[in-house]
């Protein structure tokens, strides 16, 4: 009831051969996004370490927004 089985389609197929043994391989597209998150921990205390965004000039907290254009490093004039 409400559950439909959708057959996954391979986007690439191939075979890996080890001496006399052949193993068929199929590559499928992902059906769900599985994002892995890692936390940095302080050695010895296991306290979580957080990264904060700080305004370089004023030293205050910053809610940065994504730039619409890339920033370029200053060039040395000779």
């Amino acid at each position: 009831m409400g559950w439909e089985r959708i057959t996954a389609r391979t986007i690439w197929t191939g075979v890996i051969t080890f001496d006399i043994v052949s193993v068929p391989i199929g590559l499928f597209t992902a059906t769900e996004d599985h994002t892995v998150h890692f936390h940095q921990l302080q050695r010895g205390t296991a306290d979580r370490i957080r990264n904060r965004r700080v305004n370089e000039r004023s030293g205050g907290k910053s809610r940065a927004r994504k730039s619409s254009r890339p920033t370029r490093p200053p060039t040395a004039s000779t």
Side-chain angles (χ1 to χ4, degrees):
M1 181 174 139
W3 292 93
E4 294 181 20
R5 179 165 281 198
I6 299 173
T7 306
R9 296 183 185 184
T10 57
I11 59 172
W12 178 84
T13 57
V15 177
I16 296 177
T17 304
F18 301 100
D19 200 19
I20 61 170
V21 178
S22 295
V23 180
I25 304 293
L27 182 64
F28 298 86
T29 57
T31 57
E32 295 181 24
D33 180 22
H34 296 282
T35 304
V36 179
H37 300 279
F38 294 97
H39 299 292
Q40 292 180 335
L41 303 176
Q42 178 71 37
R43 184 174 287 144
T45 63
D47 294 337
R48 183 171 173 194
I49 298 172
R50 295 187 180 269
N51 294 318
R52 306 247 181 212
R53 293 183 183 265
V54 177
N55 182 306
E56 189 174 275
R57 183 176 46 82
S58 68
K61 290 182 183 178
S62 174
R63 289 183 46 195
R65 61 180 172 85
K66 291 186 178 178
S67 176
S68 60
R69 57 190 161 141
T71 58
R72 295 183 183 181
T75 58
S77 58
T78 55

